[in-house]
Amino acid sequence: MSSPTDLLARLVGFPSVVGTPNGAIIAFVEAYLRDLGVPCHRIAGPEGDRWNLFATIGDPSVPGHILSGHVDVVPAGEAEWRADPFALRMEGDRLTGRGACDMKGFVAAVLATVPDLLRMRLSSPIHIALSYDEEAGCRGVPHLIAALPDLCAPPAGCIVGEPTGLVPVLAHKGKAALRLVAQGRSGHSSRPDLGVNAIHALLPALQAAAAQAVALQSGPQDARFAPPWSSLQIGTVQGGQAVNIIPDRAEAALEARAIQGVDPKAILQPVVEAAGGLDIEWLSSYPALALDRDHPLATLAEAITGHTALGAVSFGTEAGLFQSAGIPSIICGPGDIARAHRPEEHLTQGELQATCAMVRALGERLSA
């Protein structure tokens, strides 16, 4: 039986950076579960080199609960790392490595608890759902969700283990992101009449984005969120080779985050309208999450954690996609989101063990 710390060390050791092949880490988890006698199903994405994984403990013909996590991580190129970010470093109670908090710690705790769940007489199953490219806007999980009708009875609920300090969270914002690409014609900057400046071609859309970002602050508000309004930002702008060369290509990536009741794609519509002849690529889109405080899943999450549910967080997860597929969802996982996407990302031994206790408590609640 592997300890949660050992499993976390193995998971962190796979540099499963978002947007790259994940076959190695999926094969490791699959082999671990199959050795325990747990049936697994790989669900491929269209990329051809990335997979989701779905496993069931108990009777799949009975409505059960999903424990959902992602196995991709953001890059770890920051200079502030004190050691290899893909080798778990144990210093006292602290477990440091890329993905330790977001969110391989949750995955490790779930996997470590599987032997305990197998010894229980579950009256309804517990499913493990692992997805890819969550950090690129939940690109992998829609393929997993689409496969669920062939894998199990309609689930009664889903717990997404993103870092919340093991406090259940009822709501998050939705998100949409797009890329704009402008094609120009290169030439010497002394003859702009002979070229087409691609950066200039981006400007109307970028100006529309900046104006929309300001306008949203006076739009619909939801006090559960910080900030309480929907938002839009220009995340990246790239183009040009040198100051004396007319840029022949330029691109920008933008994202919108929407409060409940606001379509994140609709927030970007003024940008699309101003884009003119630019190429537009939608990068990702997922809806907001909203679970009623008195929903049975909220009551269950409070019971297995001992924490009162929190109204909302501003970051997004795959919970909104599960909810839109008719599966009630809540967010509850170890660690602090403030540690995610930063150098020296870490989880503590105490947080890891508390997550194991939460999963065991779920099993006990679902036992005959």
Side-chain angles (χ1 to χ4, degrees), residues 204-220 229-234 254-256 262-273:
L206 299 184
Q207 290 167 342
Q212 175 75 323
V214 173
L216 287 168
Q217 298 180 32
S218 302
W229 57 80
S230 300
S231 62
L232 186 156
Q233 81 146 2
I234 303 165
L254 303 85
E255 71 161 28
V262 177
D263 180 356
K265 280 193 169 183
I267 291 174
L268 289 164
Q269 193 56 37
V271 179
V272 173
E273 293 172 358

Side-chain angles (χ1 to χ4, degrees), residues 7 12 16 52 55 61 80 100 109 122 178 190 197 207 244 247 258 262 268 289 303 330-331 334 339 341 349:
L7 284 166
V12 168
S16 51
N52 304 287
S61 69
E80 293 86 351
L122 297 177
L178 59 77
S190 66
N197 190 304
Q207 290 167 342
N244 60 349
V262 177
L268 289 164
L289 168 71
I330 199 165
I331 316 164
R339 303 179 206 155
H341 299 197
Q349 290 276 11

Side-chain angles (χ1 to χ4, degrees), residues 13-14 56 63 80-81 93 102 156 172 190 192 196 208 213 238 289 296 300 317:
F14 293 99
T56 298
E80 293 86 351
W81 285 96
D93 191 47
D102 184 16
H172 68 60
S190 66
V196 177
Q238 298 173 322
L289 168 71
L300 174 63
T317 76

